[in-house]
C-alpha cells in the first residue's frame, strides 16, 4: 500500500528557518509535491520535485531523495503569514497513462512572534 | 478571474437527502478532480476525469456520482446523504493527467445533520 508520513504539528519563531520532513513508501512514484493550505482555504501549489536534489523558489526550497523515499520543505525567514498546513503529496502512476496525487495528512505550522 | 469555482460554498442538509455540488474551471484544462477533506484535514482523491471521461474512481460509495457535461465542468451528486459525508469537498484541475500542478477550487463545506 501507499504510505506518506509527515509530522502533525510544528512551531517556529518569526524570522527563523524551519524544515518539514516527509517520508513515503509507494509504488509507481512519479514525483513529489508540496502544497500550502491556510485554514479554511484551498491548497495552493508550492513546489515539485521529480529528480533528486534541491529546488529553490524564493524563501521556500524543497529537497528529494528518491532512493531514501524522503523529502523536506525548507522555509526561510519565516513570516506570520506562513502559519498554515503544509501537505506532502506523491504523484503515483495509476495506470492507463494517468497519474494521481496521494496526500500525506499535512503538517500544521504555527509561526510565533 | 476565478480559475476554479465551486458552488455552493456551504451546504447544510439532513440525512437521506440528495445534493449536488458544481465545479467549473476556466483554465482550459483537460483533467478535473474531486477530493474529500475530512475533519482531520486528510485530503483524499475521489474521482478524476480527463476530457469528460472517468479515469480514476477511488473506493467511494456508489451514492457519489460525478458527472462531466464538458471538460470545463465536473459536478458531484450525492444520494442518500449520511452523517459521515460531512467534510469539505474540493474540486481541482490540471492541464492534463501528466501535469504536476493542480489548481484547487475554494471548497464546499458539507454538513449533514
Amino acid at each position: 500500500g501507499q504510505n506518506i508520513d509527515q509530522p502533525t504539528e510544528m512551531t517556529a519563531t518569526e524570522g527563523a528557518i524551519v524544515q518539514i520532513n516527509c517520508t513515503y513508501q509507494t509504488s509507481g512514484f512519479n514525483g513529489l509535491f508540496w502544497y500550502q493550505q491556510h485554514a479554511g482555504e484551498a491548497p495552493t501549489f508550492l513546489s515539485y520535485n521529480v529528480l533528486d536534489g534541491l529546488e529553490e523558489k524564493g524563501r521556500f526550497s524543497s529537497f528529494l531523495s528518491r532512493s531514501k523515499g524522503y523529502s523536506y520543505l525548507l522555509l526561510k525567514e519565516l513570516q506570520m503569514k506562513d502559519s498554515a498546513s503544509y501537505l506532502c503529496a506523491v504523484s503515483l502512476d495509476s495506470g492507463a497513462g494517468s497519474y494521481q496525487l496521494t496526500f500525506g495528512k499535512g503538517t500544521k505550522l504555527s509561526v510565533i512572534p | 478571474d476565478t480559475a476554479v469555482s465551486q458552488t455552493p460554498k456551504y451546504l447544510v442538509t439532513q440525512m437521506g437527502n440528495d445534493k449536488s455540488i458544481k465545479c467549473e474551471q476556466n483554465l482550459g484544462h483537460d483533467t478535473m478532480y474531486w477530493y474529500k477533506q475530512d475533519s482531520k484535514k486528510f485530503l483524499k482523491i475521489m474521482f478524476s476525469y480527463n476530457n469528460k471521461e472517468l479515469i480514476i474512481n477511488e473506493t467511494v460509495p456508489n451514492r457519489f456520482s460525478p458527472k462531466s457535461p464538458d471538460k470545463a465542468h465536473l459536478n458531484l451528486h450525492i444520494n442518500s446523504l449520511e452523517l459521515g459525508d460531512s467534510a469539505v469537498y474540493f474540486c481541482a484541475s490540471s492541464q492534463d493527467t501528466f501535469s504536476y500542478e493542480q489548481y484547487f477550487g475554494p471548497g464546499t463545506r458539507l454538513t449533514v445533520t
Side-chain angles (χ1 to χ4, degrees), chain A residues 33 35 37 42 97 99-100 103, chain B residues 37 42 56 98 100 102 105:
Chain A
F33 303 79
Y35 279 78
Q37 186 177 24
Y99 298 88
Q100 69 179 64
F103 283 84
Chain B
Q37 189 168 44
F42 186 34
I56 293 172
F98 305 99
Y100 57 82
Q102 293 187 14

Side-chain angles (χ1 to χ4, degrees), chain A residues 30 33 35 37 40-45 48 85 87 94-95 97-106, chain B residues 9 33 35 37 40-43 45 55-56 58 90 97-107 109:
Chain A
N30 186 52
F33 303 79
Y35 279 78
Q37 186 177 24
E41 297 183 11
T44 55
F45 170 81
Y48 170 65
S85 288
L87 311 177
S94 57
S98 65
Y99 298 88
Q100 69 179 64
L101 284 185
T102 298
F103 283 84
K105 295 189 177 181
Chain B
K9 189 166 176 59
Y33 313 83
Y35 288 88
Q37 189 168 44
K40 295 183 179 178
K41 308 302 180 187
F42 186 34
L43 191 63
I45 189 161
I55 55 171
I56 293 172
E58 289 297 299
F90 286 101
T97 60
F98 305 99
S99 292
Y100 57 82
E101 185 170 354
Q102 293 187 14
Y103 294 79
F104 284 78
R109 182 173 293 277

Side-chain angles (χ1 to χ4, degrees), chain A residues 74-108:
Chain A
L74 193 71
L75 291 77
K76 303 175 187 173
E77 301 169 17
L78 278 171
Q79 302 175 10
M80 299 300 290
K81 66 178 182 180
D82 297 331
S83 293
S85 288
Y86 291 86
L87 311 177
C88 173
V90 176
S91 176
L92 304 172
D93 185 349
S94 57
S98 65
Y99 298 88
Q100 69 179 64
L101 284 185
T102 298
F103 283 84
K105 295 189 177 181
T107 299
K108 184 177 179 181

Side-chain angles (χ1 to χ4, degrees), chain A residues 33-38 40-46 87-89 100-104, chain B residues 1-6 9 22-27 29 31-37 41-47 88-95 99-108:
Chain A
F33 303 79
W34 286 95
Y35 279 78
Q36 180 190 59
Q37 186 177 24
H38 285 100
E41 297 183 11
T44 55
F45 170 81
L46 284 180
L87 311 177
C88 173
Q100 69 179 64
L101 284 185
T102 298
F103 283 84
Chain B
D1 286 343
T2 302
V4 183
S5 59
Q6 294 177 230
K9 189 166 176 59
K22 295 185 177 182
C23 178
E24 176 181 3
Q25 54 94 4
N26 62 6
L27 298 166
H29 288 170
T31 308
M32 296 184 72
Y33 313 83
W34 276 109
Y35 288 88
K36 179 181 180 180
Q37 189 168 44
K41 308 302 180 187
F42 186 34
L43 191 63
K44 189 170 182 184
I45 189 161
M46 300 172 70
F47 302 102
V88 180
Y89 292 85
F90 286 101
C91 177
S93 73
S94 63
Q95 183 67 49
S99 292
Y100 57 82
E101 185 170 354
Q102 293 187 14
Y103 294 79
F104 284 78
T108 296

